[in-house]
Amino acid sequence: MARIDVSDLPVADTEEDEELETKEKFLQNCFVQEWEIIKSMIDEISRGNSIDHSSVERYRSIMAKYQEQGQLLEPYLENIICPVMAGVRKKALELREAADQTLETIKDLCILVYTLLIVCGCKAVSRFFPHDVSDLELAVSLLDKCHISPSLSSLAHETTGMMETKCVLVLWLSVLVLIPFDILLVDTSLTNGYHEKEEVPPLVQRILKISREYLCSAGTMRRAAGLSISSLLARPDMEKAFGSFVQWSQDVLSSYKDDGVDVFLLLGVVEALAAIFKVGDRKTRLDVVPVIWSGISELINSTIAAQSALLRKSLLKLTQRIGMICLPPRSSNWRYVGQNSLLAENLSSNASESYNLSRRPSGEDSYSVPGCHYYTEEDDMDVPEIIGEMMDELLNGLRDTDTVVRWCAAKGIGRITARLTRSHAETVLSSVLELFSIGQGDGSWHGGCLALAELARRGLLLPVKLPMVVPVIQKALHYDIRKVPHSIGSHVRDAAAYVCWAFGRAYSHADMKSVLESLAPHLLAVACYDREVNCRRAAAAAFQENVGRQGNFPHGIDIINKADYFSLSSMVNSYMQVAVYIAQYEGYLYMFVEELRSRKICHWDKALRQLASKALAALVKYEPSYFGEFVLEKLIPCTLSADLCLRHGATLAVAEIVLALHHCGFVFSIDRQKTVSSIVPAIEKARLYRGKGGEIMRSAISRLIECTSLSSISLCDKTKSCLLDNVNENLKHPNALIQDSAAKALKVLLRAYFANVDSSFSSDLLQKYIALLDDHNVAARRGSPLALGVLPPEFLVKTWRVVLEKLCFSCLIQDNGTLQDAEARVNAISGVVSVCEALSGTICESSSCVLDDITCFFLTIKEEVVQTLFKALDDYTVDNRGDVGSWVREAAMDGLERCTYIFCEKQRLIKTAGVHCSSNTEDHDFAVEANKFVLFDEDLATKLVGSLAKQAVEKIDKVRSIAGAILQRILHSRRTFVQCIPHRDALEQIIPNDSKINWGAPNISYQVIVQLLQFSCYSKAVLSGLVTSTGGLTDSLQKASIEALLKYLQISAGTQNDREKMLILDLVWVLQQYKKDDRVIIPALKTVEVLFSKMDMLIEIRSQNFVGAILDVLAVEMVGSKDFAKLRTGISILGYVASIEDPISMKAFSKLLSFLGHHYPKIRSTAADQVYLVLLQNDSVVAEDKLEMILEVVKETCWEGPVEEARRQRLKLRELAGLEVACQAKAASCTSK
């Protein structure tokens, strides 16, 4: 074959191919990942093939992903729309011959285009519609056919695609009616081309009739109909049609007073008129303005408009369009132009500045703007009176309750003001500024900000007016009106940031320099400290825009790099990191302090007040003297304010600032120390603990006492006693948060001010807390263990035995029901472990303690405290809040970990003490015994690991997460090596030192911990926890645990039988250990049921020893039981056992038959089902000649009927099966019990 030279190809074809190839590469590099799928569908359409409904739905699902980012699809629109609309045109031509099927194809194609309309909008999509002259009548005919089709419901329209087809065709008409030819030449319905000029052409009548009917539709259909009407009536040969439509519109608008008025029709007419006044000829539209405005002005103030925000928005849009028709287009020389359109001109503006200065006129009415075009006052112009009415309506729209209406009014004010003179524009500005006066609502402030932004963007807000506007914007940036449960104003602050953003884009650096210096601190205060994330980001964006456009702003780049979009997403990060970084620069510290002091510590949100107090303390390091003198002086009187929010925030702020000043080395004056120390007594004297907000203030007071103690503020004895009494009262409060804060305060208070008190005081205080452990007040029983846990070791060293004994007793469930409280047990566990930690160092280091005391103390921990914690791991108490025992188990696991570290760290000290004793005494044997003393032995380690592993496979995610993390830390602790753990090397391989492991995830924790079943020392404990998940009610846990168990059993073919044997032995042990404990027995039986269902994979499950043990367990558990879940599971197990071809199956079958006479109908029915399955699977349980009869009896008997009839049939079955009647009577007696 001859080689073809590329140079011989036609140049035009080569260029076209290159262009197509380049375009295809461009589309491949764009963002739409599903382009290949879409392209394959479009190619099918281009080849004339139809697409099925599934492809259409897939296309819809792809396009729905781009709903929020429709601009990403714009590069692809031409490649999608052109082939699809070509297919619609082709099928429309074929529709005259083949009707229904072709129409269905057109519907599918129109659905594709309609989906793009929803995502990208009408303007972007309609640009690629075909617009041949011949298509006009074709589209009208197709729309007629769809329009006259049988009426369907709205749901049918959506499901059949008829609505999408009509919408696309109407939008297509809005393009086709713009053909540059007379409609008379296109309308083939006219005979001989003759038509009276006074009449509307028939084709136009058809289009208007259909479009008017669609104006009462909802959504995209209504907008498309309005566009179609506006495009048609914008033609110069449509004067007659325009007049008739205006008359019809006036009739519709005046019908708002009728009772049965259609709101959607009103809305459609208003939108259509707005579209007409946007594109129509000004002279033609100006003639009908009085008629239209008379109807609009009445409708705006009507009740029906007050009920529809969308109608009010459309009315204001129409109002501004009419206003722009009334005012001639003109270029206002007085407008401010801060920047040139071309980059080159902007870069050369400094070079030509002197030239511009020489050309600026001088005089009273001229304003010079360095670096910008000049602007002068214009001659007055005649403004129609109707413009004043329209501006009043637009200004009222700025006060509307809906944001969309205010936004539309703001844009209308900007557009109309652009066509007015400077004097009129100043009047408009004055009216806008009145919206910010006292008494105006948040809607007025928001609308005013939007209007100011529009005026600034359009150059209508002159720099000389900025001194009037900037103070208003500063107030708007901090606008926050407090309601009872919340506050309003976030939308106002967001709009104020938008105004600042518009300033940065509109004005030059010379005009904005002073303005930016005053706005920047306020913007950054909002960016760092606003409660709403959208306001923080909006203020940061406004600051970034000003820094980028206004030149070299001091530290601007560093600030915007720190306060970016992502760093401001977290309020804690904004307060504690971003704001602290910005405050180091000059000009921001005082503004930040004032924002926090005057607005945030009195905020209605409690969490925000707490965060604001910490944020204030974080700023202390920059100027301690300012905080120690000025800020504290302002805050301390507020601690007695009648406003709860201010009182609470000020108390917290004083506490945090005092502590921060202490850390900075600030020396408080005597007067300041007296003032700070008198806050708590003053609050107590004012009885501010009582009534509303008492709980909030108690927590704040505890924090103030804690910070005061840490700061070593000088206190008199009376004040010390007052603070201690306050802490003791808070410890007995029922709120857990108040008790925790009180315990923290007590810990530092005793060490700061009561360290050197006499022994009688410490003894009395200790006895007081011990007595509260048995108090009838449950709150006191919860608080006293927390107090004992934070006492100084010096208070405990003499009576530690009594303290540990009482706390250990409080950790366990009490026989007295009135003393049972889960929270008290949790706090008791925390307290006893804290006492052990505090005393472990003190006793070993004390010179007065001998080896006998040390040994006795640690033996007490090992034999009493640790054993108590192990017992607490069996706390599964349930109340109306759920498994409250899980709180106790979590605390017990934490306590066991801490006690383990105590043992391991103090083992060496005990041996050292023994050596010291042997070198200084003659009792050498005693020293040898001390060296042999072991605190943490192998038995304790085995029980510890087994208990943690058990909790790591139970039902609650949080419990599993805590147990897995503790187990991981014990095995891989770097600080303290935990010794004596059996199979430690294997455990370290199974449980890796990976902090990213999510132990709360079932598919992770079960797969890891189940491997401990291979170790006999851990297997029983692990299985006792695992069965609660495998047989639990949660499907996800059940599935994950069973999957992990079966995977463990099948992981190695060589050891499978051994693992199965160990598993069934452990399972029998669990069933016997937890006899009559339904919490474990029921899920354990369900686990047995699951294992029997896998008999084809598991071999040892059929062993006679296991099956016999299971039958013995069932004989005990099912007798007299009324639990349906237990009975159903037991019957299912009996069915599995009876189906095994083994002599023991007869025993199971006999027990199974006994449940056919149970007094629960559902149990009888379940047992009958199992009997039937057993007979089908194991034909050895009955004689072959009796099998058919027995099956017939089982099938025909209504086992959910009367119990007497069921028992008669059961007796018959036993006789047919050859079972003894005596056994039946005995079984019936047991079942009835």
Side-chain angles (χ1 to χ4, degrees), residues 7 68 96 164 254 292 305 405 460 560 574 622 645 741 893 1028 1192:
S7 61
E68 300 295 332
R96 299 168 184 172
E164 292 89 344
S254 60
I292 298 297
V405 181
L460 307 175
I560 62 178
S574 300
Y622 293 121
C645 295
S741 60
M893 287 188 289
T1028 61
E1192 187 69 21

Side-chain angles (χ1 to χ4, degrees), residues 1193-1204:
V1193 172
V1194 174
K1195 285 192 300 182
E1196 296 299 330
T1197 303
C1198 178
W1199 297 105
E1200 294 186 3
V1203 64
E1204 293 81 7

Side-chain angles (χ1 to χ4, degrees), residues 454-468:
E454 285 297 312
L455 294 176
R457 287 179 60 248
R458 300 172 187 272
L460 307 175
L461 181 59
L462 303 182
V464 294
K465 300 297 181 181
L466 288 179
M468 301 169 52

Side-chain angles (χ1 to χ4, degrees), residues 180-234:
F181 302 103
D182 195 336
I183 295 290
L184 298 176
L185 301 176
V186 181
D187 192 353
T188 59
S189 64
L190 299 175
T191 59
N192 299 324
Y194 175 78
H195 178 69
E196 295 292 339
K197 294 184 179 179
E198 290 78 10
E199 297 180 5
V200 179
L203 185 60
V204 175
Q205 292 179 7
R206 292 164 62 191
I207 297 174
L208 285 176
K209 179 183 177 182
I210 295 174
S211 299
R212 283 191 302 185
E213 292 185 12
Y214 291 155
L215 286 179
C216 60
S217 302
T220 309
M221 176 73 82
R222 183 181 66 247
R223 291 191 291 272
L227 288 174
S228 178
I229 292 174
S230 65
S231 299
L232 179 63
L233 299 183

Side-chain angles (χ1 to χ4, degrees), residues 744-756:
K744 294 178 183 178
L746 180 65
K747 181 177 181 178
V748 295
L749 178 66
L750 293 177
R751 287 164 174 78
Y753 300 111
F754 297 93
N756 298 321

